[in-house]
Amino acid sequence: MLAALDQQGAARAVHPADTIGKLAVVAETAARLLDAVGWWISYVPPGSQLMRTARHAVYRMTSGPSSTRAETQRAQIEAPDAVFDLRHYPMTRRAVRGGAFALRAGAAGNDPAEEAMLVVSGYRGMVAAGGRNPAGGWLLELFADDATLPLGQVASALRALVAVALAGPASPPEG
């Protein structure tokens, strides 16, 4: 995956200061290798506790719980302009500061807020890694269904790749 970042830089398809572009290279490459359902990149402005989706890709749909309430929650969670208060998502908050984690739906010890997001969306698991640069905080998430390769051992590698993508010149997302 480092080769993918190097190739993008050499080809100048992604400007060296294009933080979201570099993260998208990592997300796209990792998602394809693991056969992930999709990926999300989120952004937290400096000094804020509010995280918003900056870019995402979905390769196939999953089936979450079927109820009007569940469908409403799913639409809110997966909306391209969704905003999340990090005070309600402690694992995500730590990841945005430079950490990583993996969750498997239904596993003992899952944070209830993170678990709810998985269940409502119909995902079987997820892996997230993040970090900061001068533009703000960032989070890259990959989501899994039954066809996805196991994500449990991927968190550390994804964390390192996100750190490489966040190094150097930086820019906030557009909009």
Side-chain angles (χ1 to χ4, degrees):
M1 277 197 252
L2 285 174
L5 279 172
D6 290 341
Q7 288 172 356
Q8 288 295 322
R12 293 292 178 231
V14 175
H15 188 277
D18 180 7
T19 300
I20 197 163
K22 293 184 288 184
L23 287 170
V25 169
V26 173
E28 186 72 22
T29 305
R32 298 280 181 195
L33 286 170
L34 298 166
D35 196 16
V37 172
W39 55 263
W40 267 253
I41 297 170
S42 300
Y43 172 70
V44 181
S48 177
Q49 288 292 312
L50 300 178
M51 181 178 79
R52 69 175 174 84
T53 301
R55 189 176 292 178
H56 72 284
V58 177
Y59 304 114
R60 61 185 173 272
M61 298 307 293
T62 59
S63 58
S66 58
S67 74
T68 304
R69 182 171 181 227
E71 287 304 314
T72 301
Q73 288 175 320
R74 181 176 179 158
Q76 290 170 340
I77 288 169
E78 295 183 352
D81 58 352
V83 175
F84 299 90
D85 187 335
L86 291 177
R87 291 173 287 210
H88 302 293
Y89 298 90
M91 294 174 74
T92 298
R93 184 177 59 241
R94 285 190 297 276
V96 168
R97 293 177 181 157
F101 66 92
L103 290 178
R104 187 173 36 85
N110 282 354
D111 176 77
E114 304 283 358
E115 175 78 14
M117 194 273 316
L118 283 177
V119 171
V120 166
S121 298
Y123 300 130
R124 300 287 182 238
M126 70 173 291
V127 63
R132 293 180 178 172
N133 67 12
W138 300 88
L139 183 74
L140 188 157
E141 299 167 287
L142 301 174
F143 293 94
D145 62 8
D146 291 332
T148 307
L149 293 173
L151 298 179
Q153 302 301 314
V154 176
S156 294
L158 190 61
R159 180 180 178 192
L161 291 165
V162 166
V164 170
L166 293 177
S171 63
E174 294 179 11

